[in-house]
Amino acid sequence: MERLLAISPIDGRYKNKTNELSKICSEFGLISYRVKVEIKYLIMLSEHAQIGVRLFSKEENFLLKELQNLTLEDANIVKELEETGYKEILATRHDVKSVEYFIKNKLKNSSLSDVSEWVHFGLTSEDINNISYALMIRDSLESVILPFIENIMNEISIFSKENRFISILARTHGQPASPTTFGKEFKVYLSRLQRQFEIIKKNQILVKLNGATGNYNAHYSAYPNVNWLKFSKDFVEVLNKNNFLKLELNSFTTQIEPQDSFIEIFDALRRVNTILIDFSQDLWRYISDGWLTQKIIIGEVGSSTMPHKVNPIDFENAEGNLSIANSMFTFFSQKLPISRLQRDLSNSTVQRNFGVAFSHCLISYKSLLKGLSKIAINYKKVSDELEKHPEVLTEAIQTVLRREGVKAPYEQLKKLSRGTGEIRLIDLHLFIDSLEISVNIKRELKCFLPSSYIGLAEHLTNLN
């Protein structure tokens, strides 16, 4: 499709930034997962001794394996079956039934024609759909989303370690506060992200394979002696090979799997994104204050009228896309766990937007990585800003004076420094000289400097 005609910016302006997700989260991706689940289910039926499907030959298993490698041409046939009909098959107006008919049509001229009626045996469309979406979410996370989050964490970690010595003025309530280091401040974000990253990795994605209302009605009516619960668990385990995010059977569902486990993942991703919004806004402020600079890209324009501009567009783009993704994750969390009685269809169109939310995440993660690759510290600006605010040392001075038993040191320093305009280092030294304390304590107090008053910041940066 011509991307200039696309309504969604994901398929238009940002199309080249979301390629990694296109075959996973697109309509093609969803059809592919449905075909895969149907075929794996058929194979497993054939391998169960109590179910009346014959065993397949090596050649037949190979044919079924190849059929799972869906092509665009195949996917278009499925869409034709749904919308207009294909050959002698009339339009189904049902997306999952179209997949069933597609597979049967592929088998009819093969040695597997005799087992075609076992395709979709005992299942409802939601058995196929919920597992397909679970696979879509898992593949999106494992192959795209989590690796990009990990790349961001790696970049933050490198910057943190390399700049663990670089003192900066802290700001609480936007006002000068006790100094910290770039390394430690980046380590805070790294630690927060690592926690959410591990939470996502440990999540299990619940799925169902239990028929029209969750009771194995059709399965049991045909084969009452088969342990269908064990069959379903075994089927889910087949889908778990070589994956660290695991699917798990939910035995207690209506027609739909309630999708609480989807929501747990979306909520964790939303927390990741919220942390990254916080991070992006801080970097924006550091750039605005001139503490961080950005590498110049030849040919790039910052403003249509102001030639000097080098805008923090990567962090602004990240913030915007992260916010869109989070609004969608919030909506998913509110909508998907609710369904009237045994099911209503209102979740169906919502699920089709999982890829949209993931795409906005991916766009933002790429923007963040690009922005991080362009920043550098303006050491002089950072140092000058620290030296302009020796009043931050009043905390250290009053604390040591408390230790020494001096009366009301906080109140004395408050009178000297709070709201009185610019305080110079010499003003603090004169105050220290006026105190009735030993020469050694005066010397200790005068050794404090804004650049070295960083407490355990360097040590904290080095902690795992």
Side-chain angles (χ1 to χ4, degrees):
M1 184 179 75
E2 171 52 61
R3 66 177 183 164
L4 292 178
L5 296 175
I7 294 174
S8 166
I10 290 171
D11 293 316
R13 180 176 181 84
Y14 301 125
K15 184 176 178 63
N16 63 341
K17 294 186 177 181
T18 57
N19 288 332
E20 296 93 333
L21 288 170
S22 63
K23 288 190 176 181
I24 300 174
C25 297
S26 60
E27 183 79 354
F28 170 83
L30 180 56
I31 293 170
S32 297
Y33 287 119
R34 286 168 170 162
V35 170
K36 182 180 294 185
V37 175
E38 291 276 17
I39 291 176
K40 286 186 179 297
Y41 178 73
L42 176 62
I43 292 171
M44 193 150 180
L45 288 175
S46 77
E47 293 172 346
H48 198 289
Q50 292 175 280
I51 300 173
V53 190
R54 65 175 177 81
L55 281 171
F56 301 151
S57 67
K58 183 178 179 181
E59 291 75 17
E60 288 170 335
N61 277 311
F62 180 78
L63 172 63
L64 291 172
K65 182 180 179 181
E66 286 298 298
L67 189 53
Q68 293 177 59
N69 297 321
L70 205 70
T71 66
L72 278 173
E73 182 182 355
D74 291 332
N76 275 313
I77 292 173
V78 175
K79 291 305 293 181
E80 286 181 45
L81 284 164
E82 178 188 352
E83 296 173 351
T84 62
Y86 178 74
K87 294 183 178 179
E88 72 280 5
I89 306 172
L90 298 177
T92 65
R93 304 295 184 195
H94 193 288
D95 48 6
V96 177
K97 200 66 178 177
S98 299
V99 169
E100 178 188 340
Y101 285 174
F102 166 77
I103 295 171
K104 287 179 176 179
N105 187 63
K106 284 285 189 178
L107 299 183
K108 73 178 182 180
N109 294 321
S110 73
S111 62
L112 290 164
S113 60
D114 62 315
V115 300
S116 65
E117 285 306 320
W118 291 95
V119 177
H120 204 70
F121 176 79
L123 300 179
T124 183
S125 59
E126 193 55 29
D127 289 320
I128 300 301
N129 271 337
N130 89 100
I131 297 175
S132 296
Y133 277 115
L135 294 173
M136 178 188 291
I137 290 171
R138 182 170 74 181
D139 287 351
S140 296
L141 291 172
E142 286 192 353
S143 63
V144 182
I145 298 299
L146 292 182
F148 269 94
I149 294 173
E150 199 161 24
N151 288 341
I152 292 170
M153 292 193 299
N154 288 337
E155 290 301 313
I156 293 174
S157 178
I158 291 169
F159 189 96
S160 175
K161 289 175 183 176
E162 289 180 348
N163 298 288
R164 60 192 182 277
F165 304 112
I166 307 303
S167 304
I168 61 172
L169 181 71
R171 286 197 177 95
T172 57
H173 309 279
Q175 305 303 306
S178 303
T180 183
T181 67
F182 262 130
K184 183 262 177 176
E185 296 311 304
F186 272 59
K187 184 61 178 276
V188 170
Y189 286 108
L190 177 62
S191 176
R192 294 171 68 189
L193 289 169
Q194 286 172 332
R195 177 178 171 80
Q196 300 308 322
F197 189 81
E198 291 304 315
I199 288 173
I200 295 171
K201 284 173 63 177
K202 291 175 183 175
N203 264 78
Q204 292 176 316
I205 306 174
L206 298 183
V207 295
K208 61 155 281 201
L209 191 75
N210 52 16
T213 56
N215 304 315
Y216 296 95
N217 302 47
H219 296 82
Y220 185 77
S221 66
Y223 290 101
N225 294 323
V226 171
N227 186 339
W228 287 108
L229 268 170
K230 183 178 185 306
F231 178 93
S232 297
K233 288 178 181 178
D234 291 344
F235 179 75
V236 172
E237 283 307 307
V238 168
L239 300 174
N240 277 333
K241 291 180 179 177
N242 304 317
N243 294 96
F244 63 83
L245 284 171
K246 302 298 184 183
L247 307 189
E248 182 181 344
L249 182 71
N250 185 355
S251 300
F252 307 102
T253 78
T254 60
Q255 184 174 102
I256 63 173
E257 203 290 316
Q259 300 181 6
D260 296 332
S261 65
F262 286 17
I263 302 313
E264 289 165 2
I265 289 172
F266 295 151
D267 285 349
L269 274 175
R270 184 164 50 83
R271 291 194 295 272
V272 167
N273 290 348
T274 300
I275 293 165
L276 291 176
I277 289 172
D278 193 18
F279 181 60
S280 297
Q281 290 181 348
D282 272 8
L283 290 180
W284 188 95
R285 178 60 190 267
Y286 289 139
I287 292 168
S288 176
D289 288 345
W291 296 11
L292 292 176
T293 59
Q294 299 178 96
K295 295 176 184 175
I296 302 299
I297 305 298
I298 302 300
E300 188 179 88
V301 173
S303 166
S304 63
T305 186
M306 294 176 282
H308 69 283
K309 297 287 290 296
V310 185
N311 297 330
I313 56 174
D314 299 306
F315 301 111
E316 292 170 334
N317 179 281
E319 181 182 344
N321 279 287
L322 288 165
S323 299
I324 294 172
N326 276 8
S327 68
M328 298 188 75
F329 287 142
T330 299
F331 173 65
F332 296 158
S333 298
Q334 293 170 343
K335 170 68 190 92
L336 292 176
I338 300 171
S339 183
R340 296 171 185 87
L341 300 179
Q342 282 66 55
R343 91 140 317 165
D344 67 66
L345 196 65
S346 61
N347 69 328
S348 178
T349 191
V350 174
Q351 290 172 313
R352 290 178 179 277
N353 288 279
F354 290 168
V356 179
F358 286 146
S359 293
H360 282 293
C361 290
L362 181 58
I363 293 164
S364 65
Y365 299 160
K366 287 185 175 181
S367 291
L368 266 174
L369 286 168
K370 184 178 180 183
L372 287 170
S373 73
K374 291 161 58 177
I375 61 171
I377 296 174
N378 184 339
Y379 296 102
K380 185 176 187 307
K381 183 78 172 180
V382 168
S383 176
D384 288 348
E385 195 67 24
L386 264 175
E387 297 308 314
K388 281 167 52 180
H389 293 282
E391 67 270 21
V392 297
L393 297 176
T394 58
E395 178 192 45
I397 294 169
Q398 66 93 11
T399 302
V400 172
L401 292 178
R402 283 172 184 248
R403 182 195 73 192
E404 296 301 315
V406 174
K407 184 179 179 181
Y410 176 91
E411 287 72 18
Q412 292 186 58
L413 282 156
K414 174 184 172 184
K415 183 178 179 180
L416 173 71
S417 62
R418 190 170 190 261
T420 58
E422 183 179 335
I423 297 292
R424 300 167 301 165
L425 195 60
I426 186 63
D427 297 322
L428 293 177
H429 289 181
L430 290 172
F431 170 79
I432 292 167
D433 285 335
S434 71
L435 297 171
E436 293 183 3
I437 53 177
S438 70
V439 173
N440 286 339
I441 300 302
K442 289 181 179 181
R443 187 180 299 116
E444 178 185 352
L445 294 175
K446 288 182 180 181
C447 283
F448 288 131
L449 294 172
S451 59
S452 58
Y453 181 51
I454 58 172
L456 296 174
E458 181 187 340
H459 174 70
L460 291 170
T461 305
N462 290 329
L463 291 177
N464 293 323

